[in-house]
Amino acid sequence: MASKYHWQSQNVKQSGVDDMVLLSKITEDAIVENLKKRYNDDYIFTYIGSVLISVNPFKQMPYFTDREIELYQGAAQYENPPHIYALTDNMYRNMLIDGENQCVIISGESGAGKTVAAKYIMGYISKVSGGGPKVQQVKDIILQSNPLLEAFGNAKTVRNNNSSRFGKYFEIQFSRGGEPDGGKISNFLLEKSRVVSQNENERNFHIYYQMLEGASTQQKEALGIMTPDYYFYLNQSGTYKVDGTNDSKDFQETMEAMGVIGIPSNHQSQVLQIVAGILHLGNISFIEAGNYGKVESTDLLAFPAYLLGIDQDRLQEKLTSRKMDSKWGGKSESIDVTLNQEQACYTRDALAKALYTRIFDYLVEAINKAMQKPYEEYSIGVLDIYGFEIFRKNGFEQFCINFVNEKLQQIFIELTLKAEQEEYVQEGIKWTPIEYFNNKIVCDLIENKLNPPGIMSVLDDVCATMHAKGEGADTTLLQKLQAAVGNHEHFNSWNAGFCIHHYAGKVSYDVNGFCERNRDVLFNDLIELMQSSEHDFIKSLFPENLNTEKKGRPTTASSKIKKQANDLVNTLMKCTPHYIRCIKPNETKRPKDWEESRVKHQVEYLGLRENIRVRRAGFAYRRVFNKFLQRYAILTSETWPCWRGEEKQGVQHLLRSVNMDTDQYQMGRTKVFVKNPESLFLLEEMRERKFDTFARTIQKAWRKYIARRKYEQMREEASDILYNSKERRRNSINRNFVGDYLGMEDKPELRQFLAKRERIDFADSVNKYDRRFKSIKRDLILTPKGIYLIGREKVKKGPEKGLIKEVLKRKMEIATIRSVSLSTRQDDFFVLHEAEYDSLLESMFKTEFLSLLCKRFEENTKSKLSLNFSDRIDFKVKKEGWGGGGSRCVVFQRGQGEMPQIKPSGKTLTISIGDGMPKTTKPTKKGIPQGGGAGRSRAQQRPAPRGAHQNGAAQFPHGNHQSREQTYSMPQKQGRPPSSVLPKISSQQTRRAPAHSNTQKDLDFLNVPDQGQSGMQRKKSISQRPPPAPLGHPRAQPRPQGPRCRALYQYVGQDVDEISFNVNDVIDLLSEDPSGWWRGRFKGREGLFPGNYVEKI
């Protein structure tokens, strides 16, 4: 971990244990103490095996940046400290590897941090998954749905400043390549009663306060927006602000989110109109007038009627009267019933709640439409649902919320405690049962249909016989509950309600309003009223057909939530589950505040102690035999590509082959059980290495092919520059281009003249001729910006007097080069013409230099560089003192031999040189005669079939030796045994690491010929590396008496049939080829090399 940055790497102090399976004592006190230590040191995450425990820090933590995303991506769980990113990455990879849907169940009480955890999960998935524009759009919608749904579905409660007042199961759908390309949200039980009333120190839904603070002046005028204390639906609690919340800024985010999701601007305006209309509706109050309800101030009807697009008088009528159907003697007739004050208030509130609920459902549907996908492939579900809660007064909503949490706890118990232990028994694994509390008894108390009927069934029966609003129904409910479940050990009743002993503690529910809220009926009068709106959008929110006759009981709120909860459980059971258990450390919502008793209570009811015990005694991983074989078959030659024998024996063979201790696994009847995650990670790592080896074999073959094409293309391009214009030198026409012949990376004394990180295209030592035609050595460097000529001078003064120092003699901008002149003969001279004066240079790598210069000139000026070919070149010289300046002339004539004869005379320099290859000569590709070395290496590879079979690819040994060609970019690999020796698997693996770290260098090498540093590194690594072991080498042969040559430059073989050597190495010359590729023997190995890199001795 030292090599990587990590948020915990700065902390030397060990804070408790990362995984509580490792605790020495398994007690609630020990668990709480460990969590406390870590919490106080800002480590909010802890594991119990694969379950993540998260403690709410009540502050922003520093370890949720892109750096952490990079760190956890693809890493095994044990490699880094516990983190929600580790769980998310594991979930994402399991989905792709196993092809199975995943889900994460985030549970905990209100204010424990569940919503924030869900956001981090979605953010991580969005970052690590790839994809094009369509995928990016889905990612944007996934992320933007959070602020939108939070604005309309979250509120401040006494327990939590951003409490989810609805349940949400967010299914992110993926393609088979792991790209998020769709999604679906299921929402549960919005707490709509909050629209019309809130407890003390609580707020209504965030959107109201956001709109009041953030709306523009124009919007405020159009919507009749006042201060929050003006509205009855907001002023009951006396709380309008939340610490740390900027409602105005959040409003802008909410509106932006609507745009991203694709809600049209006119619909956005209508949504705000309805939200404002609800507030104005709440200000309509009623007075009692002769036992009937009457609107107190008719002036207050105008604005809500205007915003909702309905008639003001009709609104008044529907709020104070109701149409009732009366059946008598087979006939039915409608009669208008005038409502009393209480009933009128109830009707007003029912309309407000209906409007708000339907807006919320519309927003969820809009998000789903924006993300919908015609078919399902893979998915990850994130369950972020309201937490278990206990208030001073607990009503029907708290009853439903706590029921859903009870069901989620049951899933956790079923899958982590009950099912796991049952599986061990079924599979014949040695096991001592561990006791735990199964909360199914509480779930049955609430949802049972018969024998005895559960609380919800009794509630529905009472509602079915209820005719009008009143306390009578609630009293009847209490009496019937006492009769049905009064003797249940988890139930008690009291004078105003009943008490349930939930898994998280006893909760007393006030029965007042239970029946009315459960009935959840919106009267036809109100539906008709809204269908008469002049706004099509509002009409569309009320699509009911009121002419059809209704049959059977209306659906109640409790039956809806029961069905939703059971559907959710079924959905979750079809996925591979992951768990985050959130813990709330205090009620003050302040960081570093630790309430011991509160945390201990949560640890107890979450069943963490039992979870640790089961995990500790059990097995971290289990897989059916055929799936295990399918995944890890590649590890041995006997199991790959297919195991011939009984599956169980194949699994045992695999485990023995990786030397896994027998106490680390057990064989069941149909599954293998692996005890520790580390053992599984070992298997995964070995599998990755195998695939990595194969991938490298393919990569090397591809790179070799690309490199050959690149070199050929570069030679072709360079040759085209001189084609039909200049004779070619026999030894240079086919040579490889290297670029950096000086090893610039190791020469800071030369790099000092260049800009920081300036790329080097070409660097070589050249001869520069002054105005007297005297030859001086200069270092010629070409970069994308310019040409540098660097010389050396003796320091004449100061402390460094007498030392030879590098001096920048000349720098030419690329754009200032006017032209380049060359002769038509095979010499290496060329003149750079510039505005001020010209430079006469000689370089044996002139063709390479010119081809690169032409490219850079065209990039800089968008025009071609002018090249002049003539045997008489005039050029300007630098003006120095009184007698300098003027022009000089170089004349080229036919002479003898390949070495130029130079004869200066006054202002003219005559250069004589023999005939070169014809001007129409093109580079030749290495053909069959020159490629004999390759045939030799293949022949030597044939006797090694075992390695080839073991890796499932016949060419594997060939790929292995191909790494020799990459030594140009990977100096660490020089000094390998000769190609006749096949490396063992272990040595292969130890050599993989450096190769992996240089992958990017390999790619750079292929793109641009800028590899001088590699040459220097290679030289160092070769000189520092001990000589290879003699085992497997051919015996040293007596030195042949034939011709020999000495290396002028370092050369690194680019192919398996080439040899590598350093400056001054002596090579036995076996044959010379007209193409320029000679054949020689060096250190007992035969191969090809370019003849222009050596001189005969």
Side-chain angles (χ1 to χ4, degrees), residues 953-1062:
Q955 292 302 309
F956 175 129
H958 181 61
N960 212 13
H961 295 304
Q962 277 175 12
S963 57
R964 192 181 290 278
E965 83 188 54
Q966 297 296 343
T967 51
Y968 198 73
S969 308
M970 297 187 288
Q972 297 90 331
K973 286 199 178 180
Q974 192 73 18
R976 256 192 196 189
S979 58
S980 59
V981 181
L982 185 68
K984 293 181 181 176
I985 293 295
S986 60
S987 63
Q988 240 178 292
Q989 290 170 349
T990 55
R991 280 192 290 273
R992 277 183 60 256
H996 187 68
S997 64
N998 280 294
T999 305
Q1000 191 57 47
K1001 282 190 183 177
D1002 292 346
L1003 297 176
D1004 288 345
F1005 157 66
L1006 291 176
N1007 291 333
V1008 179
D1010 178 11
Q1011 295 297 321
Q1013 156 68 355
S1014 298
M1016 300 306 292
Q1017 284 183 333
R1018 214 170 9 253
K1019 189 173 178 183
K1020 280 185 182 176
S1021 65
I1022 292 168
S1023 62
Q1024 290 168 2
R1025 194 169 281 222
L1031 181 63
H1033 275 264
R1035 290 182 182 175
Q1037 297 177 9
R1039 182 170 293 165
Q1041 298 304 309
R1044 296 157 71 207
C1045 52
R1046 178 181 284 107
L1048 295 171
Y1049 307 97
Q1050 181 192 42
Y1051 181 72
V1052 181
Q1054 306 294 313
D1055 209 337
V1056 291
D1057 57 352
E1058 296 174 15
I1059 57 174
S1060 304
F1061 46 76
N1062 286 311

Side-chain angles (χ1 to χ4, degrees), residues 537-665:
F537 176 73
I538 293 178
K539 280 184 189 174
S540 70
L541 297 178
F542 294 84
E544 290 92 339
N545 183 355
L546 299 177
N547 298 322
T548 56
E549 193 174 331
K550 291 180 183 175
K551 294 179 180 178
R553 283 188 187 181
T555 310
T556 61
S558 64
S559 58
K560 272 184 205 166
I561 195 67
K562 183 162 70 172
K563 183 180 183 304
Q564 286 179 328
N566 287 313
D567 288 348
L568 175 64
V569 168
N570 292 334
T571 303
L572 296 174
M573 287 291 200
K574 289 174 188 169
C575 305
T576 303
H578 303 260
Y579 305 94
I580 301 175
R581 312 290 264 167
C582 296
I583 288 178
K584 187 178 184 182
N586 61 61
E587 276 296 340
T588 61
K589 307 186 192 81
R590 287 204 307 262
K592 298 281 186 179
D593 188 3
W594 184 268
E595 292 178 26
E596 192 92 8
S597 57
R598 173 168 296 282
V599 176
K600 188 173 180 183
H601 175 61
Q602 291 171 78
V603 166
E604 285 172 357
Y605 76 64
L606 289 172
L608 299 191
R609 182 169 64 92
E610 293 82 358
N611 195 198
I612 293 170
R613 288 179 64 203
V614 171
R615 201 74 207 175
R616 197 153 160 175
F619 296 83
Y621 173 86
R622 75 283 322 268
R623 254 301 176 269
V624 291
F625 294 144
N626 66 338
K627 280 206 172 184
F628 186 88
L629 261 177
Q630 191 180 334
R631 182 148 185 79
Y632 299 110
I634 201 168
L635 296 182
T636 73
S637 56
E638 290 80 6
T639 51
W640 180 262
C642 109
W643 169 256
R644 301 183 187 284
E646 198 184 328
E647 287 175 345
K648 188 172 184 176
Q649 290 174 349
V651 172
Q652 286 173 319
H653 168 77
L654 270 172
L655 294 170
R656 281 195 297 268
S657 72
V658 298
N659 298 320
M660 190 179 289
D661 294 337
T662 50
D663 63 347
Q664 285 299 303
Y665 66 91

Side-chain angles (χ1 to χ4, degrees), residues 22 127 129 136 292 456 517 558 579 734 984 1026:
L22 305 173
K127 285 275 188 184
S129 51
Q136 190 54 50
Y292 296 121
M456 285 181 168
R517 286 175 179 172
S558 64
Y579 305 94
N734 281 317
K984 293 181 181 176

Side-chain angles (χ1 to χ4, degrees), residues 531-792:
Q531 287 178 344
S532 70
S533 171
E534 62 188 38
H535 302 307
D536 291 337
F537 176 73
I538 293 178
K539 280 184 189 174
S540 70
L541 297 178
F542 294 84
E544 290 92 339
N545 183 355
L546 299 177
N547 298 322
T548 56
E549 193 174 331
K550 291 180 183 175
K551 294 179 180 178
R553 283 188 187 181
T555 310
T556 61
S558 64
S559 58
K560 272 184 205 166
I561 195 67
K562 183 162 70 172
K563 183 180 183 304
Q564 286 179 328
N566 287 313
D567 288 348
L568 175 64
V569 168
N570 292 334
T571 303
L572 296 174
M573 287 291 200
K574 289 174 188 169
C575 305
T576 303
H578 303 260
Y579 305 94
I580 301 175
R581 312 290 264 167
C582 296
I583 288 178
K584 187 178 184 182
N586 61 61
E587 276 296 340
T588 61
K589 307 186 192 81
R590 287 204 307 262
K592 298 281 186 179
D593 188 3
W594 184 268
E595 292 178 26
E596 192 92 8
S597 57
R598 173 168 296 282
V599 176
K600 188 173 180 183
H601 175 61
Q602 291 171 78
V603 166
E604 285 172 357
Y605 76 64
L606 289 172
L608 299 191
R609 182 169 64 92
E610 293 82 358
N611 195 198
I612 293 170
R613 288 179 64 203
V614 171
R615 201 74 207 175
R616 197 153 160 175
F619 296 83
Y621 173 86
R622 75 283 322 268
R623 254 301 176 269
V624 291
F625 294 144
N626 66 338
K627 280 206 172 184
F628 186 88
L629 261 177
Q630 191 180 334
R631 182 148 185 79
Y632 299 110
I634 201 168
L635 296 182
T636 73
S637 56
E638 290 80 6
T639 51
W640 180 262
C642 109
W643 169 256
R644 301 183 187 284
E646 198 184 328
E647 287 175 345
K648 188 172 184 176
Q649 290 174 349
V651 172
Q652 286 173 319
H653 168 77
L654 270 172
L655 294 170
R656 281 195 297 268
S657 72
V658 298
N659 298 320
M660 190 179 289
D661 294 337
T662 50
D663 63 347
Q664 285 299 303
Y665 66 91
Q666 276 197 50
M667 303 297 290
R669 294 189 177 97
T670 63
K671 295 180 181 178
V672 57
F673 292 79
V674 180
K675 194 161 188 63
N676 290 325
E678 289 78 9
S679 304
L680 179 66
F681 298 142
L682 169 74
L683 285 166
E684 282 294 317
E685 202 170 305
M686 293 176 77
R687 182 176 178 273
E688 287 292 323
R689 283 181 185 170
K690 280 285 183 187
F691 276 117
D692 198 61
T693 305
F694 293 167
R696 286 180 185 286
T697 304
I698 296 165
Q699 280 176 345
K700 283 171 186 171
W702 175 248
R703 283 178 186 153
K704 173 184 168 184
Y705 169 71
I706 291 294
R708 275 181 173 168
R709 274 188 22 185
K710 184 87 176 172
Y711 282 133
E712 285 165 10
Q713 185 185 347
M714 285 170 68
R715 284 200 295 262
E716 286 286 337
E717 287 172 357
S719 175
D720 289 344
I721 292 171
L722 307 181
Y723 186 73
N724 239 352
S725 300
K726 186 173 176 68
E727 294 175 356
R728 303 303 305 274
R729 293 177 72 85
R730 191 175 301 278
N731 291 338
S732 70
I733 187 135
N734 281 317
R735 70 171 191 82
N736 288 336
F737 289 178
V738 175
D740 182 1
Y741 296 92
L742 297 177
M744 289 291 290
E745 284 299 325
D746 276 357
K747 295 205 172 160
E749 67 274 15
L750 296 179
R751 286 204 73 98
Q752 66 176 317
F753 303 110
L754 279 63
K756 194 175 181 183
R757 295 199 183 98
E758 190 171 354
R759 189 186 191 96
I760 293 164
D761 289 336
F762 180 85
D764 183 31
S765 182
V766 301
N767 293 322
K768 189 255 180 194
Y769 289 84
D770 64 10
R771 56 201 172 103
R772 296 186 185 86
F773 302 118
K774 183 181 172 186
S775 171
I776 315 156
K777 280 286 180 189
R778 292 279 185 265
D779 290 332
L780 172 68
I781 298 169
L782 171 66
T783 74
K785 294 183 178 178
I787 299 169
Y788 299 80
L789 281 169
I790 299 167
R792 283 154 187 80

